[in-house]
Amino acid sequence: MRMAVFNQKGGVGKTTTVLNLAAALARDSAPALLVDLDPQAHLSAVHGKALGEAHNSVFALYQDNRPLDDLAVAWDGVGRLIPAHAELIKVDSIFGKGPAILNRLSIGLQALEAAGGEDTVLIDCCPFLGVLSLNAIFAADRMLIPVSSDYLSLRGALQIEHTLKALEPVLKRRIERRYLLTRFDRRRKMSFDIQERMRRQFGAELCETVISENVAIAEAPAMSLDIFSHHPTSRGAQDYMALMGELRAARFI
Ligand SMILES: Nc1ncnc2c1ncn2[C@@H]1O[C@H](COP(=O)(O)OP(=O)(O)O)[C@@H](O)[C@H]1O
Ligand SMILES: [Mg+2]
C-alpha cells in the first residue's frame, strides 16, 4: 500500500500527518517507509540526523537512479525515512516531464518492495503539483488529503478534487482518496461548519476522525519527536491513533 499525503496548500498538516500516522503504525507493529518528497525537507529536518548531501537523498533517485533501499535511514519509533534535499527543487527543470521521470518513484518503490521492503509507504508531498507530486500520485495507490478547518482550505479541497478528476483519465484508474480535517478547533463554530460542508461534498471520503488543533502536535517536531513520544496522552496522540485505527479498519492503510 502506497499512500501519497497531498494538498497544494501549505501548512495544512501534511508533514505532521505523515510523521504521526507512521508513528501510530509503528506502535501497531506495522512500521512504514516514509518518503520525503518536499524540497523544503521538513520531515527530514524533524528526524534530526537525516539531512545531508543531495546524493544521499531521494534526489539521487532522479540524478543517478540510486536504489531507494540505499537511501533509507532508520527512525526510532517511526519506521524508515528516505530523506529529501533542497536540490529537489531542480527536478522539474533538469529532468523534464517524460514518462521515465514521472514513473521514477513508482519503479524505485517496486524494486524496494520486491526486495522485501515495507508493506506501507507514506509519501510526504510538496505544496505544488509539479513533477515531484506527479511522481507521488503515479506511485501511490491511494491519497490522503489533509484539509485544515478554515474556509480557504475548503476551497482548496474543491480545487484538489477537480485536479484529481482531471488526472484520473490519464492514470486510467480512480484515485482512491480520503479527506482529513486537521487543526480542528472545537471551540469554533467554523470548524463544525467546515466539517458539515466537507461531509456534504465528499461523503464517505471524509475521514470520521478529525485532528484537533493541539499544542503538543506543534511542539513535538522541535524535539525531533512524534506525538506519541512527546506527549502520549495528548489529544493529538489520541486523534492520530484514532485515524490509524479508522484507516486500518477500512483497509485504506
Ligand atoms: N493539529 C495541529 N495542531 C497544532 N499545530 C499543528 C497541527 N498540525 C500541524 N500543525 C503545525 O502547523 C504547521 C504546518 O504543519 P505541516 O505539517 O508542516 O503542514 P504542511 O506539511 O501541510 O505544510 C507546523 O508548524 C505544525 O507543527
Ligand atoms: Mg510539509
Side-chain angles (χ1 to χ4, degrees):
M1 193 285 307
R2 304 174 187 167
M3 186 162 81
V5 179
F6 176 72
N7 191 325
Q8 280 147 298
K9 199 170 182 311
V12 295
K14 292 182 290 296
T15 300
T16 303
T17 296
V18 168
L19 169 64
N20 292 319
L21 193 53
L25 282 167
R27 274 160 202 257
D28 201 38
S29 311
L33 176 75
L34 281 59
V35 183
D36 187 354
L37 216 53
D38 185 349
Q40 295 177 90
H42 289 162
L43 183 63
S44 309
V46 177
H47 177 284
K49 298 194 185 98
L51 282 178
E53 309 279 341
H55 66 86
N56 287 326
S57 78
V58 70
F59 182 72
L61 171 73
Y62 296 94
Q63 172 98 306
D64 308 315
N65 236 325
R66 269 192 77 186
L68 290 175
D69 206 37
D70 292 359
L71 302 169
V73 294
W75 195 343
D76 249 14
V78 177
R80 286 199 302 166
L81 168 74
I82 300 180
H85 190 278
E87 288 285 295
L88 280 173
I89 200 80
K90 299 181 184 163
V91 166
D92 273 74
S93 54
I94 304 178
F95 305 114
K97 294 179 170 56
I101 280 299
L102 290 178
N103 285 303
R104 187 63 64 89
L105 180 63
S106 184
I107 291 164
L109 286 172
Q110 253 167 40
L112 185 131
E113 285 157 3
E118 290 85 346
D119 292 332
T120 305
V121 179
L122 303 180
I123 308 166
D124 187 16
C125 297
C126 57
F128 41 86
L129 190 67
V131 169
L132 290 171
S133 291
L134 286 171
N135 260 262
I137 295 170
F138 281 33
D141 44 32
R142 54 207 65 201
M143 190 176 272
L144 182 65
I145 304 148
V147 178
S148 62
S149 307
D150 58 78
Y151 290 109
L152 287 179
S153 296
L154 177 66
R155 278 185 69 88
L158 299 176
Q159 282 161 358
I160 289 171
E161 187 64 19
H162 194 75
T163 304
L164 297 183
K165 287 213 167 95
L167 276 172
E168 283 174 341
V170 180
L171 290 166
K172 299 188 179 68
R173 63 175 165 90
R174 181 170 161 73
I175 301 171
E176 293 301 326
R177 50 190 173 267
R178 290 285 185 281
Y179 289 84
L180 169 69
L181 274 176
T182 60
R183 314 205 66 161
F184 193 90
D185 187 343
R186 282 175 178 74
R187 292 166 308 179
R188 286 188 181 170
K189 193 173 154 292
M190 177 179 73
S191 291
F192 294 95
D193 184 33
I194 303 277
Q195 185 180 34
E196 162 96 35
R197 291 183 194 212
M198 291 283 290
R199 176 72 63 212
R200 241 182 285 140
Q201 186 70 36
F202 299 113
E205 286 183 338
L206 176 66
C207 293
E208 289 286 341
T209 307
V210 298
I211 306 298
S212 308
E213 177 74 24
N214 178 249
V215 68
I217 290 180
E219 286 166 353
M223 288 158 269
S224 291
L225 295 176
D226 62 81
I227 188 63
F228 306 101
S229 311
H230 171 53
H231 197 330
T233 57
S234 63
R235 181 83 214 204
Q238 291 168 27
D239 290 349
Y240 274 109
M241 197 49 85
L243 176 66
M244 188 274 296
E246 179 185 342
L247 295 178
R248 287 204 99 180
R251 298 193 173 279
F252 197 78
I253 203 172

